[in-house]
Amino acid sequence: MKLSEFERALEGEFGAFGRVLLRETTLVELGNRTGAEALSRGVAPREVWIALCREQEVPRDRWHGAGRPAPPRG
């Protein structure tokens, strides 16, 4: 999962609140770091996405963030 895919998945699942979750939610499985801290320390976006989905109890069938197409430019 590329960072751009992560950002689209975050926005798609959580809307504008996604940025708050990324900065404020401590993810135990990523060493008690926030998602933003984990990304800045080199944790793969896919790992952060899955940890955030687990923490926020997103149904597993919506953990598909990887591979989401870019929105059409127009």
CSV table of all heavy atoms in Angstrom, one decimal, residues 1 3-15 49 53 62-66 68:
chain,number,residue,atom,x,y,z
A,1,MET,N,0.9,-1.2,0.0
A,1,MET,CA,0.0,0.0,0.0
A,1,MET,C,0.9,1.2,0.0
A,1,MET,O,1.8,1.4,0.8
A,1,MET,CB,-0.9,0.0,1.3
A,1,MET,CG,-1.7,1.2,1.5
A,1,MET,SD,-2.7,1.1,3.0
A,1,MET,CE,-4.3,1.1,2.3
A,3,LEU,N,1.6,5.3,0.3
A,3,LEU,CA,1.1,6.4,1.2
A,3,LEU,C,-0.2,7.1,0.6
A,3,LEU,O,-1.1,7.3,1.3
A,3,LEU,CB,2.2,7.4,1.5
A,3,LEU,CG,1.8,8.4,2.6
A,3,LEU,CD1,1.4,7.8,3.9
A,3,LEU,CD2,3.0,9.4,2.8
A,4,SER,N,-0.2,7.3,-0.7
A,4,SER,CA,-1.3,7.9,-1.3
A,4,SER,C,-2.6,7.0,-1.2
A,4,SER,O,-3.7,7.5,-1.0
A,4,SER,CB,-1.0,8.3,-2.8
A,4,SER,OG,-0.7,7.1,-3.5
A,5,GLU,N,-2.4,5.7,-1.3
A,5,GLU,CA,-3.5,4.8,-1.2
A,5,GLU,C,-4.0,4.8,0.3
A,5,GLU,O,-5.2,4.8,0.5
A,5,GLU,CB,-3.1,3.4,-1.5
A,5,GLU,CG,-2.8,3.2,-3.0
A,5,GLU,CD,-2.2,1.8,-3.3
A,5,GLU,OE1,-1.4,1.3,-2.5
A,5,GLU,OE2,-2.7,1.2,-4.3
A,6,PHE,N,-3.1,4.9,1.2
A,6,PHE,CA,-3.4,5.0,2.6
A,6,PHE,C,-4.2,6.2,2.9
A,6,PHE,O,-5.3,6.2,3.6
A,6,PHE,CB,-2.1,5.0,3.5
A,6,PHE,CG,-2.4,5.3,4.9
A,6,PHE,CD1,-2.7,4.3,5.8
A,6,PHE,CD2,-2.2,6.6,5.4
A,6,PHE,CE1,-3.0,4.6,7.1
A,6,PHE,CE2,-2.5,6.9,6.7
A,6,PHE,CZ,-2.8,5.9,7.6
A,7,GLU,N,-3.8,7.3,2.3
A,7,GLU,CA,-4.5,8.6,2.6
A,7,GLU,C,-5.9,8.5,2.0
A,7,GLU,O,-6.9,9.0,2.6
A,7,GLU,CB,-3.7,9.8,2.0
A,7,GLU,CG,-2.5,10.0,2.8
A,7,GLU,CD,-1.5,11.0,2.1
A,7,GLU,OE1,-1.7,11.3,0.9
A,7,GLU,OE2,-0.6,11.4,2.8
A,8,ARG,N,-6.1,7.9,0.8
A,8,ARG,CA,-7.4,7.8,0.2
A,8,ARG,C,-8.3,6.9,1.1
A,8,ARG,O,-9.5,7.1,1.3
A,8,ARG,CB,-7.3,7.3,-1.2
A,8,ARG,CG,-7.0,8.3,-2.2
A,8,ARG,CD,-7.2,7.9,-3.7
A,8,ARG,NE,-6.4,6.7,-4.0
A,8,ARG,CZ,-5.2,6.7,-4.4
A,8,ARG,NH1,-4.5,7.8,-4.5
A,8,ARG,NH2,-4.6,5.6,-4.8
A,9,ALA,N,-7.7,5.8,1.5
A,9,ALA,CA,-8.5,4.8,2.4
A,9,ALA,C,-8.9,5.5,3.7
A,9,ALA,O,-10.1,5.3,4.1
A,9,ALA,CB,-7.6,3.6,2.7
A,10,LEU,N,-8.0,6.3,4.3
A,10,LEU,CA,-8.3,7.0,5.5
A,10,LEU,C,-9.5,7.9,5.3
A,10,LEU,O,-10.4,7.9,6.1
A,10,LEU,CB,-7.1,7.7,6.0
A,10,LEU,CG,-7.1,8.4,7.4
A,10,LEU,CD1,-7.1,7.3,8.5
A,10,LEU,CD2,-5.9,9.3,7.5
A,11,GLU,N,-9.4,8.7,4.3
A,11,GLU,CA,-10.5,9.7,3.9
A,11,GLU,C,-11.8,8.9,3.6
A,11,GLU,O,-12.9,9.3,4.1
A,11,GLU,CB,-10.0,10.5,2.8
A,11,GLU,CG,-11.1,11.4,2.2
A,11,GLU,CD,-11.3,12.7,3.0
A,11,GLU,OE1,-10.4,13.1,3.7
A,11,GLU,OE2,-12.4,13.3,2.8
A,12,GLY,N,-11.7,7.8,2.8
A,12,GLY,CA,-12.9,7.1,2.4
A,12,GLY,C,-13.6,6.5,3.6
A,12,GLY,O,-14.8,6.4,3.6
A,13,GLU,N,-12.8,6.0,4.6
A,13,GLU,CA,-13.4,5.3,5.7
A,13,GLU,C,-13.9,6.2,6.8
A,13,GLU,O,-14.9,6.0,7.4
A,13,GLU,CB,-12.5,4.2,6.3
A,13,GLU,CG,-13.0,3.4,7.4
A,13,GLU,CD,-14.2,2.5,7.0
A,13,GLU,OE1,-14.2,2.0,5.9
A,13,GLU,OE2,-15.1,2.4,7.9
A,14,PHE,N,-13.1,7.2,7.1
A,14,PHE,CA,-13.3,8.1,8.3
A,14,PHE,C,-13.7,9.5,7.9
A,14,PHE,O,-13.9,10.3,8.8
A,14,PHE,CB,-12.1,8.0,9.2
A,14,PHE,CG,-11.7,6.7,9.7
A,14,PHE,CD1,-10.6,6.0,9.2
A,14,PHE,CD2,-12.6,6.0,10.6
A,14,PHE,CE1,-10.2,4.8,9.6
A,14,PHE,CE2,-12.2,4.7,11.0
A,14,PHE,CZ,-11.1,4.1,10.5
A,15,GLY,N,-13.6,9.9,6.7
A,15,GLY,CA,-13.8,11.3,6.3
A,15,GLY,C,-12.8,12.2,6.9
A,15,GLY,O,-11.7,11.8,7.1
A,49,TRP,N,-2.6,1.1,8.5
A,49,TRP,CA,-4.0,1.1,8.1
A,49,TRP,C,-4.7,-0.1,8.8
A,49,TRP,O,-5.8,0.1,9.4
A,49,TRP,CB,-4.1,0.9,6.6
A,49,TRP,CG,-5.5,0.6,6.1
A,49,TRP,CD1,-5.9,-0.6,5.5
A,49,TRP,CD2,-6.6,1.5,6.2
A,49,TRP,NE1,-7.3,-0.5,5.2
A,49,TRP,CE2,-7.7,0.8,5.6
A,49,TRP,CE3,-6.8,2.8,6.6
A,49,TRP,CZ2,-9.0,1.3,5.5
A,49,TRP,CZ3,-8.1,3.3,6.5
A,49,TRP,CH2,-9.1,2.6,6.0
A,53,CYS,N,-7.7,0.2,11.6
A,53,CYS,CA,-9.0,-0.4,11.4
A,53,CYS,C,-9.3,-1.3,12.6
A,53,CYS,O,-10.5,-1.3,13.0
A,53,CYS,CB,-8.9,-1.3,10.1
A,53,CYS,SG,-9.0,-0.3,8.6
A,62,ARG,N,-14.0,-4.2,5.2
A,62,ARG,CA,-13.7,-2.8,4.7
A,62,ARG,C,-12.2,-2.5,5.0
A,62,ARG,O,-11.8,-1.3,4.9
A,62,ARG,CB,-14.6,-1.8,5.4
A,62,ARG,CG,-16.0,-1.9,5.0
A,62,ARG,CD,-16.9,-0.7,5.3
A,62,ARG,NE,-16.7,0.0,6.5
A,62,ARG,CZ,-17.5,0.1,7.5
A,62,ARG,NH1,-18.7,-0.6,7.4
A,62,ARG,NH2,-17.3,0.8,8.5
A,63,TRP,N,-11.4,-3.5,5.2
A,63,TRP,CA,-10.0,-3.3,5.4
A,63,TRP,C,-9.3,-3.3,4.1
A,63,TRP,O,-8.1,-3.4,4.0
A,63,TRP,CB,-9.4,-4.4,6.3
A,63,TRP,CG,-9.8,-4.4,7.7
A,63,TRP,CD1,-10.8,-3.6,8.3
A,63,TRP,CD2,-9.2,-5.2,8.7
A,63,TRP,NE1,-10.9,-4.0,9.6
A,63,TRP,CE2,-9.9,-4.9,9.9
A,63,TRP,CE3,-8.2,-6.1,8.7
A,63,TRP,CZ2,-9.6,-5.5,11.1
A,63,TRP,CZ3,-7.9,-6.8,9.9
A,63,TRP,CH2,-8.6,-6.5,11.1
A,64,HIS,N,-10.0,-3.1,3.0
A,64,HIS,CA,-9.5,-3.2,1.6
A,64,HIS,C,-8.6,-2.1,1.2
A,64,HIS,O,-8.2,-2.1,0.0
A,64,HIS,CB,-10.7,-3.4,0.7
A,64,HIS,CG,-11.5,-2.2,0.7
A,64,HIS,ND1,-12.5,-1.9,1.7
A,64,HIS,CD2,-11.6,-1.1,-0.1
A,64,HIS,CE1,-13.1,-0.8,1.4
A,64,HIS,NE2,-12.5,-0.2,0.3
A,65,GLY,N,-8.3,-1.1,2.0
A,65,GLY,CA,-7.6,0.1,1.6
A,65,GLY,C,-6.6,0.0,0.5
A,65,GLY,O,-6.5,0.8,-0.4
A,66,ALA,N,-5.8,-1.1,0.5
A,66,ALA,CA,-4.8,-1.3,-0.5
A,66,ALA,C,-5.4,-1.4,-1.9
A,66,ALA,O,-6.4,-2.2,-2.1
A,66,ALA,CB,-3.9,-2.5,-0.2
A,68,ARG,N,-7.0,0.8,-3.7
A,68,ARG,CA,-8.2,1.7,-4.0
A,68,ARG,C,-7.7,2.6,-5.1
A,68,ARG,O,-6.7,3.2,-5.1
A,68,ARG,CB,-8.6,2.5,-2.8
A,68,ARG,CG,-9.2,1.7,-1.7
A,68,ARG,CD,-9.8,2.5,-0.7
A,68,ARG,NE,-11.1,2.9,-1.1
A,68,ARG,CZ,-12.0,3.5,-0.3
A,68,ARG,NH1,-11.7,3.7,1.0
A,68,ARG,NH2,-13.2,3.8,-0.7
